[in-house]
Amino acid sequence: MVSVGSDKPNIRQVAVIAGVSHMTVSRVLNDHPNIKPDTRRRVLEAIEELDYRPNLVARALATQRSRRIGVLVESPGAFGPTSILSAVELAARGADYSVAQIALHEGDGLSPQEAVETLMTQGVDALCVIAPRSSSVAALRRVVINVPMLVVKADADPTFLTVSIDQHAGTTLLVDHLVALGHRDILHISGPLDWLDARARERAFHSRAKSWGIRERPIVVGDWSADFAYDFAMGLNRLPDYTAVFAANDDMAIGLIHGLHDKGFSVPGDLSVVGFDDVPLARHFLPPLTTIRQDFHALGVAVVETLRAAIEEREIPAFTRIPTEIVTRASTAPPREAR
């Protein structure tokens, strides 16, 4: 038997011996039809060589509890998804659960269905999906599994358990703050609208702006990056008519302020700028950024408690929205014509 540094063989060790990906091993274990005969043979030989027992996983899924939560996270390098994942891991550890995670990276070819399939082979008792896109949620609706699945998203859902930070309330706090300063013409730079959080913030912005009678203007759809907002600012040929900008996350807000500075515009003298997330850099940027602080710790606790209730067949808590907090700093001021 080949030693791979572990007393108990696992699916990744099978993949190493067979010279394939762990996803391919998962497909062989689940009798996927689109596997080449030679590939299937190598995987089965590796399973035999390592004395790997996938039937133990199947039995755990059907009759036992592994005290393990599978987490599927999109764009794991971004501040929000990373913070939520850390919070879920910490809350799970406090509840004597472990976390098995898999990340969906842009353009890596791994589908949400395949990611769920991989997590299921690890004997998880429940699944959590962090920072999902609407396309991913649509794909997950077609997945049939026998464990609870929770999606971190702003709206209740008939298919999944849901928990979220209150995106609508956070956006409302920002709009109300700008209105209280006297702004009546505000541009929204949104995140990619396939992202559920970006869509929730965009809808909340339009709803609150309309209630205040703020001028309606087309949004600018960004990509969450500081570079996008910097380039947008550098493309301005003159000081715009709007007096404030609500950027859907802090990265874009910071990139925008940088670009406005390089174009010779002042923040908040010419334009007020707000963000969303309260990243660590936000308090140290010049000017320090007005933004929304999200309670990721409370979100992680709510996720784990909801999944535990479902796993243990207890009453599941009502749909939870975690409150947000506005952090007011020097990037906002009354509009230029009011001074």
Side-chain angles (χ1 to χ4, degrees), residues 158-331:
T159 306
F160 311 110
L161 300 169
T162 53
V163 172
S164 76
I165 289 174
D166 197 334
Q167 306 295 320
H168 187 280
T171 300
T172 297
L173 287 171
L174 289 174
V175 174
D176 288 357
H177 169 69
L178 292 172
V179 169
L181 290 172
H183 296 277
R184 294 297 184 274
D185 193 345
I186 305 169
L187 176 71
H188 178 42
I189 301 180
S190 82
L193 294 181
D194 187 38
W195 288 84
L196 298 186
D197 282 354
R199 176 65 74 178
R201 293 170 197 175
E202 182 264 339
R203 288 175 176 169
F205 170 78
H206 279 301
S207 174
R208 196 61 173 175
K210 184 176 181 180
S211 72
W212 281 113
I214 293 173
R215 173 180 173 178
E216 291 191 27
R217 60 170 63 247
I219 67 170
V220 175
V221 180
D223 63 3
W224 296 127
S225 75
D227 286 343
F228 174 89
Y230 176 85
D231 291 342
F232 172 79
M234 292 298 291
L236 296 174
N237 296 318
R238 61 175 180 82
L239 187 64
D241 294 333
Y242 48 84
T243 60
V245 179
F246 164 33
N249 74 343
D250 286 356
D251 283 4
M252 290 195 295
I254 289 170
L256 180 72
I257 293 172
H258 183 191
L260 291 171
H261 174 271
D262 285 0
K263 290 292 288 188
F265 301 135
S266 168
V267 175
D270 293 319
L271 285 167
S272 288
V273 176
V274 300
F276 206 110
D277 281 337
D278 196 28
V279 300
L281 182 62
R283 67 178 67 92
H284 300 295
F285 203 70
L286 292 177
L289 182 65
T290 294
T291 185
I292 290 295
R293 180 175 296 155
Q294 304 185 77
D295 191 341
F296 294 116
H297 171 74
L299 178 65
V301 170
V303 166
V304 172
E305 285 305 307
T306 300
L307 287 176
R308 283 185 63 194
I311 292 166
E312 297 165 11
E313 299 182 345
R314 296 185 280 109
E315 182 178 356
I316 296 173
F319 175 59
T320 303
R321 286 192 179 95
I322 307 301
T324 53
E325 174 189 358
I326 188 168
V327 183
T328 304
R329 299 192 180 104
S331 67

Side-chain angles (χ1 to χ4, degrees), residues 53-100:
R53 292 291 182 264
N55 60 302
L56 295 179
V57 173
R59 189 179 304 120
L61 287 172
T63 63
Q64 302 176 12
R65 293 175 185 162
S66 65
R67 302 194 70 83
R68 184 180 301 118
I69 296 171
V71 177
L72 168 60
V73 56
E74 300 212 37
S75 289
F79 176 76
T82 299
S83 299
I84 298 171
L85 175 60
S86 296
V88 170
E89 288 177 326
L90 183 62
R93 192 180 313 141
D96 196 28
Y97 275 74
S98 63
V99 168

Side-chain angles (χ1 to χ4, degrees), residues 115-134:
V116 167
E117 183 179 304
T118 297
L119 288 170
M120 290 299 293
T121 64
Q122 298 181 45
V124 298
D125 291 334
L127 289 170
C128 170
V129 183
I130 294 175
R133 305 181 186 201
S134 57

